[in-house]
Amino acid sequence: VSSSIAVGFDIDHTLCIDNHLERVAILHLLDRIVGEGGHVLGSPGEETAAVDALLAEQRDGRCTIDDAVRSFVTQRGAGDPETYVEAFRRMALSMVETFVVPDPYAKHVLHELSHAGIPTAVLSNGWNPLQHAKARRAGFTGTVLASAQIGAQKPRREAFEALVEALGVPPERAFYVGDDPKGDVVGAMSAGMQAVWLDAEHRDYPSDLPSPSHIVRALRDVPGLIRSVVHA
Ligand SMILES: [Mg+2]
């Protein structure tokens, strides 16, 4: 039975927390922007909010991370945005080891699923090798699909279809575990997957979105949920 089911995971706030790694990496560009004739647009707090707004657009699938960096740099009058995109990517990668903190149970959960013969994969909005490095930091050693590579961001159905294909099971036998109602739950369900909403912070689920197939309060509850569904 177990061989015919599979589990996909979101990364951020599911397998690990990244402590605003990308926010900090973009803010570090300000120094260089000013040094090369650009200017800041607001106070440090306002610049942080501006970065977060761009990253929210990226998470919602409205732009890529490269687009977010280009916008930030261009709005502040800096030179060739592409050199900043490269600098951002290098900096972000170098920060993974210190910024990314895995869920303390992530390795255990992944091991338990692997031990039960259940295929797993990761699907994340963002770019490799950053998402790959974050997943490795959480002890995940399998396939990491990043939206920039598949050409579709969550919540688009195409992103989840790529995941289902990587998992190698029919969509209704594939679970997707994620914390974001729109990006993770709605997206996974649009591809016919079983969406598991990870609600670690006991939030209210948005009333205008379709309800998740399952809810867990912690990552460590995932293997038990899978077992209960398989044996039901
Ligand atoms: Mg997430």
Side-chain angles (χ1 to χ4, degrees), residues 185-201:
V185 173
V186 175
M189 291 175 76
S190 77
M193 301 178 76
Q194 299 203 36
V196 182
W197 183 41
L198 173 53
D199 177 30
E201 278 114 40

Side-chain angles (χ1 to χ4, degrees), residues 25-101:
I26 292 180
L27 284 171
H28 273 298
L29 298 175
L30 280 171
D31 217 27
R32 177 166 162 190
I33 289 171
V34 170
E36 295 181 357
H39 49 268
V40 299
L41 292 179
S43 67
E46 287 166 339
E47 291 292 42
T48 301
V51 170
D52 287 351
L54 285 168
L55 291 174
E57 286 189 27
Q58 182 256 323
R59 269 196 306 278
D60 287 351
R62 284 177 280 156
C63 70
T64 67
I65 189 69
D66 288 5
D67 292 336
V69 173
R70 283 187 200 105
S71 297
F72 185 78
V73 168
T74 305
Q75 286 161 2
R76 283 155 188 78
D80 179 14
E82 301 314 315
T83 65
Y84 287 86
V85 169
E86 278 311 304
F88 162 78
R89 283 173 173 261
R90 272 197 311 275
M91 191 169 349
L93 272 175
S94 75
M95 290 160 62
V96 168
E97 195 65 24
T98 45
F99 272 63
V100 174
V101 179

Side-chain angles (χ1 to χ4, degrees), residues 92-211:
L93 272 175
S94 75
M95 290 160 62
V96 168
E97 195 65 24
T98 45
F99 272 63
V100 174
V101 179
D103 180 291
Y105 293 90
K107 284 193 176 74
H108 179 78
V109 165
L110 294 166
H111 177 79
E112 206 172 328
L113 294 175
S114 157
H115 191 71
I118 297 172
T120 53
V122 158
L123 169 66
S124 180
N125 277 358
W127 48 282
N128 276 334
L130 181 67
Q131 302 313 98
H132 194 268
K134 287 183 185 177
R136 292 292 177 271
R137 187 84 182 81
F140 181 79
T141 55
T143 302
V144 178
L145 300 175
S147 58
Q149 287 178 316
I150 47 186
Q153 306 215 39
K154 299 186 291 183
R156 274 179 55 192
R157 185 168 46 85
E158 292 87 339
F160 290 91
E161 285 172 348
L163 173 65
V164 168
E165 195 179 330
L167 288 170
V169 299
E172 66 274 13
R173 304 291 290 167
F175 295 77
Y176 187 70
V177 183
D179 66 293
D180 190 80
K182 191 175 162 210
D184 297 327
V185 173
V186 175
M189 291 175 76
S190 77
M193 301 178 76
Q194 299 203 36
V196 182
W197 183 41
L198 173 53
D199 177 30
E201 278 114 40
H202 294 248
R203 293 168 297 167
D204 289 328
Y205 190 86
S207 56
D208 58 332
L209 297 181
S211 301

